[in-house]
Amino acid sequence: KQYHMNKLFTLAAMLFFMTSIMAQTPADTVKYWKVGGDVSLTFGQTALVNWSAGGVSSLSLNGLLNFHADYQKDKLLWTNNLIMAYGMYQEKDDKRKKNDDKIDLTSNLGYEMVKNWYYSFTLGFKSQFDKGYPEDQDTLYNSKWFAPAYITAGLGLTYRPNENLQLIISPATYRLTIVNDQRLADYGEYGLDGGTLDTLGLPIPGTGKNYRHEFGFNLKFMYKVTIVKNVDWQTNLELYSNYLEDPQNIDVYWDNYFTFTINSWLSANLTTSLIYDHDINITDKDGNTGPRTQFKQTFGLGLAYKFGHQNE
Protein backbone atom coordinates (compact mmCIF):
# COMPACT_ATOMS: atom_id res chain seq x y z
CA LYS A 1 0.00 0.00 0.00
CA GLN A 2 2.79 2.42 0.93
CA TYR A 3 4.52 1.76 -2.41
CA HIS A 4 1.46 2.77 -4.41
CA MET A 5 0.71 5.80 -2.24
CA ASN A 6 4.24 7.05 -3.00
CA LYS A 7 3.15 7.48 -6.63
CA LEU A 8 0.34 9.84 -5.61
CA PHE A 9 2.73 11.66 -3.28
CA THR A 10 5.09 12.22 -6.24
CA LEU A 11 2.35 14.18 -8.04
CA ALA A 12 2.06 16.57 -5.11
CA ALA A 13 5.84 16.83 -4.67
CA MET A 14 6.38 17.78 -8.33
CA LEU A 15 3.71 20.48 -8.05
CA PHE A 16 5.32 21.90 -4.92
CA PHE A 17 8.77 21.91 -6.59
CA MET A 18 7.61 23.79 -9.68
CA THR A 19 5.60 26.41 -7.78
CA SER A 20 8.58 26.96 -5.42
CA ILE A 21 10.83 27.77 -8.38
CA MET A 22 8.35 30.32 -9.66
CA ALA A 23 8.09 31.90 -6.22
CA GLN A 24 11.86 32.54 -6.24
CA THR A 25 11.92 34.05 -9.75
CA PRO A 26 12.51 37.86 -9.87
CA ALA A 27 9.31 39.90 -10.10
CA ASP A 28 10.23 41.58 -13.41
CA THR A 29 10.49 38.11 -14.98
CA VAL A 30 7.39 36.62 -13.35
CA LYS A 31 5.10 39.10 -15.12
CA TYR A 32 5.87 37.38 -18.42
CA TRP A 33 4.93 33.96 -17.04
CA LYS A 34 1.46 32.42 -16.90
CA VAL A 35 1.54 29.45 -14.57
CA GLY A 36 -1.39 27.31 -13.49
CA GLY A 37 -3.22 24.05 -13.74
CA ASP A 38 -5.40 21.68 -11.79
CA VAL A 39 -4.99 18.66 -9.59
CA SER A 40 -7.63 16.07 -8.72
CA LEU A 41 -8.04 12.99 -6.58
CA THR A 42 -11.01 10.78 -7.46
CA PHE A 43 -12.50 7.76 -5.73
CA GLY A 44 -14.61 4.78 -6.67
CA GLN A 45 -16.10 2.06 -4.50
CA THR A 46 -18.40 -0.94 -4.69
CA ALA A 47 -19.29 -2.76 -1.47
CA LEU A 48 -21.24 -6.03 -1.57
CA VAL A 49 -22.37 -8.17 1.36
CA ASN A 50 -24.48 -11.27 0.68
CA TRP A 51 -25.53 -9.77 -2.65
CA SER A 52 -27.65 -12.37 -4.44
CA ALA A 53 -27.17 -10.86 -7.91
CA GLY A 54 -23.42 -11.40 -7.65
CA GLY A 55 -20.50 -9.07 -8.19
CA VAL A 56 -17.21 -8.17 -6.52
CA SER A 57 -16.41 -5.49 -3.95
CA SER A 58 -13.83 -3.05 -5.26
CA LEU A 59 -12.02 0.18 -4.44
CA SER A 60 -10.21 2.59 -6.75
CA LEU A 61 -8.18 5.77 -6.30
CA ASN A 62 -6.86 8.04 -9.09
CA GLY A 63 -4.70 11.16 -9.04
CA LEU A 64 -4.21 13.61 -11.92
CA LEU A 65 -2.02 16.70 -12.30
CA ASN A 66 -2.28 18.98 -15.34
CA PHE A 67 0.28 21.79 -15.10
CA HIS A 68 1.27 24.53 -17.53
CA ALA A 69 3.94 27.25 -17.42
CA ASP A 70 4.07 29.65 -20.38
CA TYR A 71 6.49 32.52 -20.97
CA GLN A 72 5.96 35.20 -23.62
CA LYS A 73 7.93 38.39 -24.18
CA ASP A 74 8.22 40.26 -27.47
CA LYS A 75 8.84 37.58 -30.14
CA LEU A 76 9.91 34.86 -27.71
CA LEU A 77 7.44 32.15 -26.67
CA TRP A 78 8.16 29.22 -24.34
CA THR A 79 5.28 26.87 -23.46
CA ASN A 80 5.42 23.91 -21.09
CA ASN A 81 2.75 21.35 -20.29
CA LEU A 82 3.11 18.47 -17.84
CA ILE A 83 0.47 15.81 -17.28
CA MET A 84 1.01 13.16 -14.61
CA ALA A 85 -1.54 10.55 -13.61
CA TYR A 86 -1.56 7.49 -11.41
CA GLY A 87 -4.44 5.24 -10.39
CA MET A 88 -4.90 1.95 -8.60
CA TYR A 89 -7.74 -0.41 -7.88
CA GLN A 90 -8.37 -3.54 -5.84
CA GLU A 91 -11.09 -6.14 -6.13
CA LYS A 92 -11.93 -7.85 -2.85
CA ASP A 93 -8.77 -9.60 -1.60
CA ASP A 94 -6.96 -9.65 -4.96
CA LYS A 95 -3.60 -8.01 -5.54
CA ARG A 96 -3.74 -4.24 -5.95
CA LYS A 97 -3.19 -3.15 -9.58
CA LYS A 98 -2.82 0.12 -11.44
CA ASN A 99 -5.46 1.39 -13.86
CA ASP A 100 -3.75 4.63 -14.89
CA ASP A 101 -0.10 5.64 -15.14
CA LYS A 102 1.25 8.53 -17.20
CA ILE A 103 4.07 11.05 -17.38
CA ASP A 104 3.78 13.34 -20.40
CA LEU A 105 5.89 16.50 -20.75
CA THR A 106 6.01 18.87 -23.73
CA SER A 107 8.30 21.92 -23.82
CA ASN A 108 8.23 24.18 -26.88
CA LEU A 109 10.50 27.17 -27.48
CA GLY A 110 9.55 29.48 -30.32
CA TYR A 111 10.59 32.72 -32.02
CA GLU A 112 7.88 34.59 -33.94
CA MET A 113 8.17 34.43 -37.74
CA VAL A 114 4.86 36.12 -38.63
CA LYS A 115 1.77 36.71 -36.53
CA ASN A 116 0.82 33.51 -34.62
CA TRP A 117 3.57 31.46 -36.36
CA TYR A 118 6.90 30.64 -34.70
CA TYR A 119 10.14 28.92 -35.60
CA SER A 120 10.30 26.30 -32.85
CA PHE A 121 12.32 23.67 -31.04
CA THR A 122 10.34 21.06 -29.12
CA LEU A 123 11.30 18.56 -26.43
CA GLY A 124 9.00 15.77 -25.32
CA PHE A 125 9.13 13.04 -22.69
CA LYS A 126 6.75 10.15 -22.04
CA SER A 127 6.99 7.35 -19.51
CA GLN A 128 5.20 5.87 -16.49
CA PHE A 129 5.84 5.48 -12.75
CA ASP A 130 5.10 1.87 -12.02
CA LYS A 131 5.12 -1.72 -13.27
CA GLY A 132 2.26 -2.72 -15.54
CA TYR A 133 0.93 -6.21 -16.20
CA PRO A 134 -1.18 -7.76 -18.97
CA GLU A 135 -4.86 -8.22 -18.11
CA ASP A 136 -4.64 -12.00 -17.86
CA GLN A 137 -1.68 -12.31 -15.46
CA ASP A 138 0.20 -10.45 -12.73
CA THR A 139 3.62 -12.14 -12.57
CA LEU A 140 5.56 -10.87 -15.60
CA TYR A 141 5.31 -7.11 -16.04
CA ASN A 142 5.40 -5.56 -19.53
CA SER A 143 6.29 -1.99 -18.50
CA LYS A 144 7.79 -0.05 -15.61
CA TRP A 145 9.67 3.20 -14.86
CA PHE A 146 11.73 4.10 -17.97
CA ALA A 147 10.66 0.89 -19.69
CA PRO A 148 9.64 2.25 -22.01
CA ALA A 149 10.49 5.95 -22.03
CA TYR A 150 10.32 8.15 -25.11
CA ILE A 151 12.42 11.30 -25.56
CA THR A 152 11.84 13.48 -28.63
CA ALA A 153 13.60 16.58 -29.94
CA GLY A 154 12.27 18.34 -33.02
CA LEU A 155 12.72 21.41 -35.21
CA GLY A 156 9.86 23.02 -37.09
CA LEU A 157 7.02 25.53 -36.83
CA THR A 158 4.41 26.30 -34.18
CA TYR A 159 1.00 27.89 -34.74
CA ARG A 160 -0.47 29.51 -31.59
CA PRO A 161 -3.26 32.03 -32.20
CA ASN A 162 -4.31 32.04 -28.52
CA GLU A 163 -3.65 30.36 -25.17
CA ASN A 164 -6.08 27.53 -25.85
CA LEU A 165 -4.73 26.23 -29.16
CA GLN A 166 -1.26 25.13 -30.18
CA LEU A 167 -0.18 23.20 -33.26
CA ILE A 168 3.45 22.05 -33.42
CA ILE A 169 4.75 20.76 -36.77
CA SER A 170 8.23 19.23 -36.55
CA PRO A 171 9.39 17.63 -39.82
CA ALA A 172 12.85 16.98 -38.34
CA THR A 173 12.33 15.03 -35.11
CA TYR A 174 14.67 12.63 -33.36
CA ARG A 175 13.04 10.06 -31.07
CA LEU A 176 14.90 7.91 -28.56
CA THR A 177 13.14 4.86 -27.11
CA ILE A 178 14.60 3.60 -23.83
CA VAL A 179 13.74 0.24 -22.27
CA ASN A 180 15.51 0.16 -18.92
CA ASP A 181 14.76 -3.50 -18.30
CA GLN A 182 16.96 -6.20 -19.76
CA ARG A 183 14.29 -8.90 -19.96
CA LEU A 184 12.02 -6.67 -22.03
CA ALA A 185 14.98 -5.54 -24.13
CA ASP A 186 16.07 -9.14 -24.78
CA TYR A 187 12.59 -9.96 -26.11
CA GLY A 188 12.68 -6.93 -28.43
CA GLU A 189 9.74 -5.11 -26.88
CA TYR A 190 8.77 -1.59 -28.03
CA GLY A 191 10.57 -1.88 -31.37
CA LEU A 192 14.03 -2.67 -29.99
CA ASP A 193 16.44 -5.15 -31.52
CA GLY A 194 15.97 -8.28 -29.42
CA GLY A 195 18.69 -10.50 -28.06
CA THR A 196 20.51 -13.33 -29.81
CA LEU A 197 18.40 -16.51 -29.83
CA ASP A 198 19.64 -19.79 -28.37
CA THR A 199 18.98 -23.26 -29.77
CA LEU A 200 15.50 -23.26 -28.22
CA GLY A 201 14.58 -19.98 -29.91
CA LEU A 202 14.76 -18.00 -26.66
CA PRO A 203 16.80 -14.80 -26.28
CA ILE A 204 20.13 -15.10 -24.50
CA PRO A 205 19.94 -12.85 -21.40
CA GLY A 206 21.82 -9.58 -21.73
CA THR A 207 22.15 -9.57 -25.52
CA GLY A 208 19.25 -7.25 -26.38
CA LYS A 209 19.69 -3.52 -27.01
CA ASN A 210 18.13 -1.09 -24.54
CA TYR A 211 17.79 1.83 -26.98
CA ARG A 212 16.25 2.58 -30.34
CA HIS A 213 16.96 5.64 -32.49
CA GLU A 214 14.41 7.10 -34.93
CA PHE A 215 14.22 10.19 -37.10
CA GLY A 216 10.96 11.38 -38.58
CA PHE A 217 7.97 13.73 -38.68
CA ASN A 218 6.13 14.72 -35.51
CA LEU A 219 2.89 16.66 -35.10
CA LYS A 220 1.34 17.78 -31.82
CA PHE A 221 -2.06 19.41 -31.49
CA MET A 222 -3.29 20.74 -28.13
CA TYR A 223 -6.64 22.42 -27.58
CA LYS A 224 -8.55 23.43 -24.46
CA VAL A 225 -12.03 24.93 -24.27
CA THR A 226 -14.97 25.42 -21.93
CA ILE A 227 -17.80 23.62 -23.73
CA VAL A 228 -20.54 24.94 -21.45
CA LYS A 229 -20.40 26.45 -18.00
CA ASN A 230 -18.49 24.13 -15.60
CA VAL A 231 -17.61 21.65 -18.36
CA ASP A 232 -14.01 21.86 -19.65
CA TRP A 233 -12.39 19.78 -22.38
CA GLN A 234 -8.72 19.39 -23.26
CA THR A 235 -7.49 17.25 -26.14
CA ASN A 236 -3.87 16.35 -26.96
CA LEU A 237 -3.13 14.59 -30.25
CA GLU A 238 0.34 13.44 -31.32
CA LEU A 239 1.32 11.77 -34.61
CA TYR A 240 4.76 10.39 -35.49
CA SER A 241 6.21 8.83 -38.65
CA ASN A 242 9.69 7.30 -38.75
CA TYR A 243 11.46 8.18 -42.01
CA LEU A 244 14.06 5.44 -41.48
CA GLU A 245 11.69 2.47 -41.27
CA ASP A 246 8.13 1.98 -42.56
CA PRO A 247 7.23 5.71 -42.75
CA GLN A 248 3.69 4.74 -43.78
CA ASN A 249 3.08 3.51 -40.21
CA ILE A 250 1.80 6.48 -38.20
CA ASP A 251 2.02 6.27 -34.41
CA VAL A 252 -1.03 7.86 -32.79
CA TYR A 253 -1.35 9.12 -29.21
CA TRP A 254 -4.65 10.86 -28.44
CA ASP A 255 -5.76 11.93 -24.95
CA ASN A 256 -8.98 13.67 -23.92
CA TYR A 257 -9.73 15.18 -20.52
CA PHE A 258 -13.25 16.24 -19.51
CA THR A 259 -13.79 18.07 -16.22
CA PHE A 260 -17.28 18.57 -14.79
CA THR A 261 -16.98 21.15 -12.00
CA ILE A 262 -19.52 20.83 -9.18
CA ASN A 263 -17.99 23.46 -6.88
CA SER A 264 -14.52 24.84 -6.08
CA TRP A 265 -13.41 21.60 -4.43
CA LEU A 266 -15.53 18.87 -6.01
CA SER A 267 -15.62 17.67 -9.61
CA ALA A 268 -16.06 14.65 -11.86
CA ASN A 269 -13.40 13.69 -14.38
CA LEU A 270 -13.63 11.64 -17.55
CA THR A 271 -10.42 10.77 -19.40
CA THR A 272 -9.88 8.74 -22.55
CA SER A 273 -6.65 7.61 -24.20
CA LEU A 274 -6.21 6.04 -27.62
CA ILE A 275 -2.84 4.66 -28.75
CA TYR A 276 -1.70 2.98 -31.92
CA ASP A 277 2.03 2.31 -32.05
CA HIS A 278 3.29 -0.15 -34.65
CA ASP A 279 6.22 -1.03 -32.35
CA ILE A 280 4.03 -2.18 -29.45
CA ASN A 281 2.94 -5.79 -29.80
CA ILE A 282 -0.12 -7.02 -27.93
CA THR A 283 -1.30 -10.62 -27.62
CA ASP A 284 -5.07 -11.01 -27.97
CA LYS A 285 -7.30 -13.64 -26.37
CA ASP A 286 -6.69 -16.01 -29.30
CA GLY A 287 -2.91 -15.88 -28.86
CA ASN A 288 -2.24 -13.69 -31.89
CA THR A 289 0.50 -11.10 -31.35
CA GLY A 290 0.88 -7.80 -33.19
CA PRO A 291 0.19 -4.06 -33.03
CA ARG A 292 -3.31 -3.21 -31.84
CA THR A 293 -5.39 -0.08 -31.26
CA GLN A 294 -5.33 0.53 -27.51
CA PHE A 295 -8.10 2.38 -25.68
CA LYS A 296 -8.52 3.37 -22.05
CA GLN A 297 -11.30 5.27 -20.28
CA THR A 298 -11.51 6.32 -16.63
CA PHE A 299 -14.22 8.18 -14.73
CA GLY A 300 -14.22 9.37 -11.15
CA LEU A 301 -15.78 11.76 -8.67
CA GLY A 302 -13.67 13.45 -6.03
CA LEU A 303 -11.60 16.39 -4.87
CA ALA A 304 -10.28 18.92 -7.37
CA TYR A 305 -8.35 22.17 -7.13
CA LYS A 306 -7.44 24.73 -9.78
CA PHE A 307 -4.48 27.01 -9.18
CA GLY A 308 -2.72 29.91 -10.88
CA HIS A 309 -3.57 31.16 -14.35
CA GLN A 310 -6.44 29.40 -16.13
CA ASN A 311 -6.70 29.57 -19.91
CA GLU A 312 -10.03 31.00 -20.98
Side-chain angles (χ1 to χ4, degrees):
K1 182 177 180 180
Q2 182 64 38
Y3 176 74
H4 290 276
M5 291 303 293
N6 285 342
K7 308 303 177 182
L8 296 176
F9 174 76
T10 301
L11 301 182
M14 287 292 292
L15 174 60
F16 175 79
F17 173 73
M18 289 180 287
T19 53
S20 296
I21 291 177
M22 292 305 301
Q24 299 173 25
T25 305
D28 59 342
T29 302
V30 169
K31 68 180 181 180
Y32 298 110
W33 282 94
K34 291 183 178 179
V35 178
D38 55 83
V39 59
S40 64
L41 189 63
T42 59
F43 307 88
Q45 181 192 26
T46 300
L48 303 175
V49 179
N50 299 324
W51 192 251
S52 62
V56 179
S57 297
S58 64
L59 177 67
S60 65
L61 179 65
N62 290 73
L64 174 66
L65 168 67
N66 191 341
F67 176 84
H68 67 264
D70 301 335
Y71 177 88
Q72 188 165 17
K73 181 183 179 182
D74 301 328
K75 292 181 175 293
L76 185 64
L77 173 67
W78 184 22
T79 62
N80 303 275
N81 184 230
L82 172 65
I83 297 176
M84 297 194 297
Y86 187 79
M88 56 187 176
Y89 75 98
Q90 184 173 19
E91 293 183 343
K92 205 173 181 180
D93 298 324
D94 290 345
K95 183 179 179 180
R96 190 177 294 109
K97 298 180 180 180
K98 69 175 184 179
N99 59 5
D100 198 8
D101 195 358
K102 178 193 294 289
I103 305 171
D104 191 348
L105 172 66
T106 300
S107 182
N108 184 63
L109 180 65
Y111 186 83
E112 192 171 40
M113 177 179 61
V114 295
K115 184 177 180 180
N116 299 330
W117 283 94
Y118 300 81
Y119 300 109
S120 61
F121 173 71
T122 308
L123 284 174
F125 174 77
K126 295 178 184 289
S127 190
Q128 58 283 313
F129 292 103
D130 203 359
K131 291 181 179 179
Y133 298 85
E135 292 185 23
D136 57 348
Q137 59 97 358
D138 57 5
T139 55
L140 289 177
Y141 56 85
N142 56 9
S143 66
K144 69 173 190 178
W145 168 249
F146 256 78
Y150 302 97
I151 299 174
T152 57
L155 292 172
L157 299 174
T158 293
Y159 174 66
R160 190 175 188 261
N162 53 60
E163 296 177 356
N164 289 349
L165 190 153
Q166 183 167 263
L167 173 65
I168 304 172
I169 304 170
S170 304
T173 298
Y174 167 74
R175 181 164 77 167
L176 173 65
T177 301
I178 304 172
V179 177
N180 188 32
D181 183 89
Q182 197 58 52
R183 177 179 62 83
L184 296 176
D186 289 340
Y187 276 89
E189 299 290 351
Y190 303 103
L192 271 64
D193 292 331
T196 303
L197 301 182
D198 60 20
T199 55
L200 298 177
L202 299 175
I204 299 173
T207 58
K209 293 184 178 180
N210 296 92
Y211 304 93
R212 185 188 186 203
H213 305 280
E214 298 175 80
F215 183 76
F217 177 91
N218 197 54
L219 180 147
K220 289 189 177 184
F221 173 74
M222 293 169 280
Y223 181 62
K224 184 175 182 180
V225 66
T226 298
I227 301 175
V228 295
K229 185 179 180 181
N230 295 331
V231 179
D232 298 320
W233 171 48
Q234 178 176 331
T235 185
N236 296 343
L237 173 65
E238 182 172 358
L239 307 176
Y240 185 80
S241 171
N242 179 18
Y243 296 144
L244 306 180
E245 182 179 345
D246 298 323
Q248 73 278 5
N249 295 328
I250 309 297
D251 296 339
V252 180
Y253 292 81
W254 186 21
D255 296 320
N256 289 279
Y257 304 90
F258 295 89
T259 302
F260 307 90
T261 303
I262 299 173
N263 55 44
S264 57
W265 286 97
L266 188 64
S267 73
N269 295 313
L270 171 66
T271 66
T272 67
S273 295
L274 184 148
I275 297 175
Y276 181 84
D277 190 327
H278 196 75
D279 298 319
I280 300 178
N281 291 320
I282 298 174
T283 302
D284 62 20
K285 61 181 180 180
D286 298 322
N288 300 314
T289 300
R292 302 278 188 275
T293 298
Q294 307 171 55
F295 181 78
K296 178 180 67 177
Q297 176 259 314
T298 61
F299 179 80
L301 175 67
L303 301 175
Y305 177 68
K306 294 184 177 182
F307 57 92
H309 175 77
Q310 297 296 314
N311 295 338
E312 300 297 332

